[in-house]
């Protein structure tokens, strides 16, 4: 039995989401919420191979820009208070994010801001993550590593959902064949 396109997409999303939540429960270095953001970014970018590349590049670019802002604030690069340093750095980063959108690979500005926001969410949620030591460590404590990988896994989840839905969908030729076989179509 084949499903309509919407039903196939819904069932595929349910299967991939449930499996993702279960798998991420055993991967403490990664964030399922960031993966869902990466998945959504892929979907809103068009859910095509080109969208996966452009969305992924923009997501990671956003992570890098947020990491640079956080490093500037944590390292005391600017001789002002931490909140003011973060605000100034975020303003500069936002300018650069939008300016970089003239490059085709970074043209999905919302995806860049998803990566940017996801990084700051991680930094505010994970204890000690906003320290220079954590942000320069080579492992999962580093927001640039953990958030980037989580977002990119999300892109892969979107691709998997699309492929699974394609296998579940009823194509018009399938519907005609089924109707003819049952005598419902004359």
């Amino acid at each position: 039995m084949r499903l309509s396109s919407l039903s196939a997409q819904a069932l595929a999303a349910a299967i991939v989401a449930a499996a993702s939540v279960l798998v991420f429960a055993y991967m403490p270095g990664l964030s399922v919420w960031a993966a869902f953001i990466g998945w959504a970014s892929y979907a809103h970018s068009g859910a095509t191979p080109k969208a996966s590349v452009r969305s992924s590049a923009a997501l990671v670019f956003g992570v890098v820009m947020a990491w640079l802002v956080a490093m500037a604030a944590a390292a005391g690069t600017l001789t002002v208070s931490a909140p003011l340093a973060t605000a100034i750095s975020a303003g500069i980063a936002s300018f650069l994010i939008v300016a970089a959108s003239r490059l085709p690979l970074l043209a999905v500005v919302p995806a860049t801001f998803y990566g940017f926001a996801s990084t700051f969410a991680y930094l505010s949620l994970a204890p000690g993550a906003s320290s220079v030591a954590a942000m320069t460590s080579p492992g999962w404590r580093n927001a640039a590593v953990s958030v980037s990988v989580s977002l990119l896994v999300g892109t892969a989840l979107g691709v998997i959902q699309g492929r699974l839905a394609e296998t579940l969908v009823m194509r018009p030729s399938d519907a005609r064949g089924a109707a003819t076989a049952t005598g419902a179509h004359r």
Side-chain angles (χ1 to χ4, degrees):
M1 180 169 116
R2 298 283 185 174
L3 302 173
S4 71
S5 181
L6 181 59
S7 295
Q9 287 290 342
L11 181 57
I15 292 167
V16 172
S20 300
V21 170
L22 183 61
V23 170
F24 271 80
Y26 296 99
M27 302 177 81
L30 299 177
S31 302
V32 71
W33 56 264
F36 276 66
I37 291 168
W39 183 355
S41 179
Y42 164 75
H44 100 257
S45 296
T48 64
K50 183 178 179 180
S52 69
V53 172
R54 290 177 51 167
S55 174
S56 294
L59 288 165
V60 172
F61 179 56
V63 170
V64 169
M65 294 304 289
W67 183 88
L68 290 170
V69 168
M71 280 297 294
T77 304
L78 301 176
T79 56
V80 295
S81 69
L84 185 56
T86 303
I88 291 168
S89 299
I92 293 168
S94 295
F95 175 87
L96 294 172
I97 286 168
V98 175
S101 71
R102 79 178 76 165
L103 301 171
L105 197 56
L106 301 177
V108 186
V109 174
T112 304
F113 279 108
Y114 296 158
F116 193 87
S118 294
T119 305
F120 277 104
Y122 176 84
L123 291 170
S124 66
L125 292 171
S130 60
S131 69
V132 172
M135 289 189 286
T136 56
S137 70
W140 294 120
R141 287 190 55 210
N142 186 330
V145 174
S146 178
V147 177
S148 292
V149 171
S150 296
L151 290 167
L152 294 174
V153 167
T155 299
L157 295 176
V159 172
I160 291 167
Q161 180 218 350
R163 297 238 170 107
L164 179 56
E166 285 175 4
T167 65
L168 298 171
V169 73
M170 179 188 302
R171 290 171 179 64
S173 61
D174 295 340
R176 281 193 302 276
T180 304
T182 62
H185 183 273
R186 293 182 196 245

